[in-house]
Amino acid sequence: MQLEVPEGYRPQDAGSLPAYLAEQPELRSALGGAPEAWTVEEVGDGNLNLVFKVRGPAGGLAVKQALPYVRLVGESWPLPLSRAHYEHLALSQEARHAPGLVPAVRHYDETLALIAMELLEPHIILRQGMIAGTRYPRFVEDITTFTANTLFHTSDLALTAAAKKDLVAAFAGNSALCKITEDLIFTEPYMIADNNRWTSPQLDPYAARLREDGDLKVAISRLKLRFLGDAQALIHGDLHTGSIMVTESDTRVIDPEFAFMGPMGFDLGALVANLLLNYFSQDGHEERPGARDDYRAWVLETTRGVWASFGEKFLALWRGAAAAGDGYPAALFQGPLGAARLDQERKAYLDRLYRDTLGFAAAKMIRRIVGLAHNIDLEWIEDPERRARCEARALTLAREMMVNPGAFPSIGDVAEAAAELRGWVPKLG
Ligand code: ADP
Ligand code: MG
């Protein structure tokens, strides 16, 4: 396999990185002292790229470099270096619209496909914190500020048509990353594919049913069409709990390499899906039956809060001065009658977005159970019977959310259905 890389590109390692960083005066002074005194640690938990934590006497940096292939798989799965360009572009848009909620970028090298950014410490990945049963009191507030602002300000509600089209053009080249999503989320879980895997034989009948479910295949195809064609706003594109780093008082969204102009519900759905998957996985992590009851309640409360608080913030932005986009021209909604009609439509817009969110959330839950990439909330449950029970409950809820969203008029109904499903003992294969 011939992997194309530009002249001057070379993957960094712990040996080469300090000399490179020392050539950048700002980075050198951020780390402080001499390069020989810096420590470099390669982070192991990334799937696609190289990530290093570099520490010096004055401070630290996180350095992320794209490889011309998928790190986890190797050279047999090529992936363009340009993903670093889109990650950098998305980070700068996000920093503008949601300041303080992404790591600050210190340096970007297009040839090396390398981003040096603020080292988040003592932050941990939210997913890991939630598996351990830790509460994050700022999470709902921060993540809804992030989603409401990044989505609103990059949509036709805030931008002129020309500015919006510039953004569409700027991200249109990120098609290789989009294709991963199109295949792994919207297609392969519903057919026989080499990439698929699930807890077998326990979930064999569940996986088989997905492949025979015509209603589900229509529903996932409609969602795929939205993902392919609806350039609603700049979406992060991979907003699961592994892309969020937290302390109890700070929240940062990392890793927007999948960013492009797509449907808003995809980001919101990713959040809801990963919270629900964590909810179902708690049965596999609790120290004794019932020990995590309070925590489970917090996870569901957080799920409700994410939608409710997002909706409030999004509405407030739309009612405010930033709503200067070409969508819903003010000239059409003059006077008290017009204003009332527009406000009605704002709520209807949010209702449609809520439905999208349920559908995309369901798609994300299903792919994490029968597709290629699973999540550790469920994977870390060692006993396969126990894991399969959690997974079967999540699959059952997801199928309903996707095919029958009308059964869940509010996010509270989703939370209630999840809680009810916990009492169900699935029949396993
Ligand atoms: P990939 O896209 O390859 O999956 P990520 O951007 O998700 O890479 O980063 C991989 C890991 O590196 C994260 O899970 C996190 O542990 C660590 N990491 C990434 N960015 C930072 C940062 N700015 N500060 C501290 N750790 C980070
Ligand atoms: Mg990534």
Side-chain angles (χ1 to χ4, degrees), residues 34-58:
E36 298 73 48
W38 301 345
T39 63
V40 183
E41 173 197 345
E42 200 198 327
V43 182
D45 69 348
N47 289 334
L48 263 47
N49 308 285
L50 293 170
V51 178
F52 303 93
K53 292 183 179 184
V54 186
R55 294 183 183 85

Side-chain angles (χ1 to χ4, degrees), residues 45-46 51 62 64 87 91 94 101-104 117-118 120 123-126 143 146 236-246 251-258:
D45 69 348
V51 178
K64 179 168 179 177
E87 175 160 354
L91 280 170
E94 292 166 350
L101 294 173
V102 293
M117 63 188 121
E118 178 184 5
L120 300 171
H123 299 62
I124 64 165
I125 291 288
L126 174 61
I143 203 65
F146 177 85
H236 176 283
D238 199 21
L239 193 54
H240 54 80
T241 47
S243 295
I244 301 169
M245 296 191 74
V246 287
T251 310
R252 306 294 186 100
V253 176
I254 64 165
D255 194 15
E257 65 189 327
F258 283 81

Side-chain angles (χ1 to χ4, degrees), residues 317-363:
L317 286 165
W318 194 349
R319 287 173 181 151
D326 279 334
Y328 298 95
L332 300 192
F333 298 98
Q334 299 287 317
L337 273 183
R341 190 66 188 83
L342 179 57
D343 218 47
Q344 229 180 343
E345 169 56 10
R346 291 185 180 114
K347 288 173 192 143
Y349 180 105
L350 273 177
D351 287 344
R352 295 195 292 274
L353 183 50
Y354 168 73
R355 281 204 166 214
D356 293 352
T357 299
L358 290 193
F360 288 118

